[in-house]
């Protein structure tokens, strides 16, 4: 993963890969052991000198990851061989201190806490990227507030909308995700011991628990162990799944609008980007493709996290283990998809002239709803709708503009003045609550900006 391998950074970028690499996982587990020793020394359970000796050996560079991995295959998890290796290193410098390594803790404390440290760093990266994406989408919504584009339902022309409205609707869920993920996306260290009661620490258990929370405050710790209460990782997975689903929606919209026959948008251009091995003229939407790839992988991963929640008694048999690669994979694909979404939106090419061309394709039919509503004032809604259906069929059959068909219609001709028709067939004036909706989403974005910038 470090160098991307054959697939480069198609599915995992280097920055996120580094945060979730085995070395980072190992360092997270070692940081737990150092924090545990400091907390126990603070509570008077182990000598301060022992805690210092243990901390000096808690550097990932001291350990052979492959060797620990081979031992983990037999042991059932990597914490067991790691604790053994750590104990040996501490014994080499202080035999007395070695007896206090991992004192009162269990493998799950080590693994969950080490992963929590990794996920906290990954969460920060996800939030930074979602912030950048929100800024780009807000700028797009403002710039194209009044740019008309055809709205499409069931992939067919419906009525005109503003491209700024579409961009604002892309923005809203990103703002909500950022807000939600700042809270429920936080993983946490835990200390529960063999069965979640810290019984091995006797009457000093509560003191150690308090000290451990203080020692790990900068990376987050909870006082109640969550060995088999797995809402925390499941909620993180669900939020990442929701994010990926929305990014997929954005990518799919853009890819459809970038089709040759539509041509309203295009991905950022670069030499060699989106080419075809067979067709020199191709410009494939590769960013959209990769975002959609992540969105299609996410549901199965989220489902695995939910399926892993019913865990047996005080230690899971398989469910906990299933979480390890699954949540890591969700962070990886979410980080990659966000990176690609930022590149996509920041460099998105918008073609208002083509949007206008497509608005004109149906010879005014996209304004039939508006004309029908205007006529309803004198004809009644049902009759007006019926007559506009007839006129629309005549428009399609003849290839004439709907306005010309109306002028020749025996029951509709003359009912609307030329000035009224000019306004009715102007897509830029058919806005409804467009500005209010855009403004509401932008207000939410502005309110979140302080939190995005760390000022909230």
């Amino acid at each position: 993963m470090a160098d991307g391998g054959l697939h480069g950074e198609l599915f995992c970028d280097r920055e996120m890969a580094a945060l979730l690499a085995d070395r980072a996982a190992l360092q997270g587990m070692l940081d737990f052991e150092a924090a545990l020793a400091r907390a126990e020394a603070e509570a008077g359970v182990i000598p301060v000198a022992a805690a210092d000796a243990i901390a000096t050996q808690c550097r990932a560079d001291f350990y052979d990851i492959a060797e620990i991995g081979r031992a983990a295959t037999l042991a059932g998890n990597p914490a067991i061989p790691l604790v053994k290796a750590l104990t040996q290193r501490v014994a080499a410098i202080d035999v007395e201190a070695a007896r206090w390594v991992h004192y009162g803790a269990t493998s799950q404390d080590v693994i969950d806490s080490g992963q929590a440290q990794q996920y906290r760093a990954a969460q920060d990266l996800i939030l930074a990227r979602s912030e950048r994406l929100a800024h780009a989408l807000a700028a797009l919504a403002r710039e194209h507030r009044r740019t008309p584009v055809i709205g499409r339902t069931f992939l067919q022309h419906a009525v005109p909308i503003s491209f700024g409205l579409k961009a604002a609707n892309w923005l809203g869920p990103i703002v909500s995700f950022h807000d939600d993920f700042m809270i429920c996306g936080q993983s946490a260290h835990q200390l529960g011991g063999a069965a979640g009661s810290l019984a091995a620490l006797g009457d000093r258990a509560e003191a150690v628990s308090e000290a451990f929370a203080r020692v790990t405050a900068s990376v987050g710790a909870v006082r109640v162990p969550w060995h088999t209460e797995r809402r925390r990782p499941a909620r993180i997975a669900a939020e990442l799944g929701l994010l990926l689903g929305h990014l997929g929606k954005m990518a799919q919209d853009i890819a459809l609008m970038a089709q040759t026959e539509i041509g309203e948008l295009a991905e950022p251009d670069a030499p060699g980007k989106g080419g075809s091995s067979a067709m020199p003229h191709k410009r494939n939407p590769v960013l959209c493709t990769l975002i959609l790839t992540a969105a299609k992988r996410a549901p199965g991963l989220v489902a695995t996290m939910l399926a892993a929640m019913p865990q047996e008694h005080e230690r899971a048999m398989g469910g906990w283990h299933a979480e390890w690669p699954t949540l890591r994979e969700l962070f990886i694909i979410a980080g990659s998809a966000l990176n690609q979404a930022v590149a996509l939106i920041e460099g998105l090419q918008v073609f208002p002239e083509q949007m206008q061309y497509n608005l004109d394709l149906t010879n005014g039919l996209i304004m039939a709803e508006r004309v029908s509503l205007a006529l309803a004032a004198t004809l009644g809604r049902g009759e007006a709708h019926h007559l506009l259906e007839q006129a629309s069929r005549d428009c399609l059959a003849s290839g004439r503009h709907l306005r010309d068909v109306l002028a020749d219609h025996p029951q509709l001709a003359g009912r609307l003045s030329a000035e009224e028709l000019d306004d009715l067939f102007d897509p830029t004036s058919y806005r409804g609550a467009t500005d209010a909706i855009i403004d509401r989403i932008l207000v939410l974005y502005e309110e979140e900006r302080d939190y995005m910038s760390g000022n909230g």
Side-chain angles (χ1 to χ4, degrees), residues 2-249:
D3 62 3
L6 182 62
H7 293 99
E9 296 189 58
L10 291 177
F11 308 117
C12 178
D13 64 276
R14 292 172 185 270
E15 193 173 8
M16 184 62 82
L19 295 179
L20 297 173
D22 286 344
R23 184 160 297 280
L26 181 62
Q27 188 59 61
M29 290 191 286
L30 288 166
D31 287 345
F32 166 84
E33 294 292 350
L36 172 65
R38 287 196 295 271
E40 290 177 334
E42 185 178 316
V45 174
I46 73 173
V48 173
D52 292 340
I54 292 168
T56 64
Q57 302 307 307
C58 288
R59 285 179 51 188
D61 292 344
F62 292 161
Y63 300 89
D64 185 330
I65 291 176
E67 182 178 334
I68 291 173
R70 285 190 292 271
T73 304
L74 293 175
N77 71 63
I80 294 171
L82 175 61
V83 170
K84 181 179 179 181
L86 173 60
T87 302
Q88 290 172 346
R89 286 195 63 90
V90 174
I93 60 171
D94 187 336
V95 173
E96 175 62 21
R99 64 187 287 257
W100 300 110
V101 172
H102 193 65
Y103 188 75
T106 191
S107 294
Q108 184 161 7
D109 294 329
V110 183
I111 292 172
D112 278 352
S113 295
Q115 289 175 345
Q117 184 164 306
Q118 283 187 288
Y119 295 152
R120 181 62 68 96
Q123 181 206 21
D124 290 343
L125 184 56
I126 292 284
L127 289 172
R129 290 178 179 178
S130 66
E131 173 185 352
R132 186 172 168 184
L133 178 58
H135 295 336
L137 286 168
L140 195 66
R142 291 190 179 107
E143 181 181 356
H144 292 284
R145 173 188 287 269
R146 303 196 70 82
T147 302
V149 67
I150 188 62
R152 296 176 171 94
T153 59
F154 293 91
L155 295 177
Q156 307 298 308
H157 282 209
V159 296
I161 61 170
S162 154
F163 182 58
L165 177 63
K166 186 180 282 285
N169 283 324
W170 292 340
L171 168 64
I174 299 300
V175 174
S176 296
F177 165 78
H178 191 281
D179 187 32
D180 293 342
F181 203 58
M182 286 184 71
I183 302 169
C184 77
Q186 294 182 3
S187 196
H189 287 58
Q190 67 170 329
L191 178 61
S197 64
L198 287 177
L201 297 175
D203 60 4
R204 303 305 297 161
E206 180 64 6
V208 172
S209 177
E210 290 179 0
F212 182 76
R214 286 194 297 272
V215 169
T216 59
S218 63
V219 288
V222 292
R223 296 292 307 283
V224 178
W226 44 281
H227 286 170
T228 51
E229 194 283 283
R230 308 305 287 180
R231 287 178 300 165
R232 188 179 301 274
R235 287 184 67 189
I236 294 172
E239 284 297 327
L240 292 174
L242 290 170
L243 169 68
L244 285 162
H246 179 63
L247 293 179
K249 184 271 187 296

Side-chain angles (χ1 to χ4, degrees), residues 426-447:
D426 179 7
T428 65
S429 64
Y430 196 46
R431 297 181 60 79
T434 293
D435 289 314
I437 295 169
I438 292 173
D439 287 340
R440 278 196 290 271
I441 294 171
L442 288 175
V443 165
L444 293 174
Y445 160 72
E446 293 293 345
E447 289 175 349

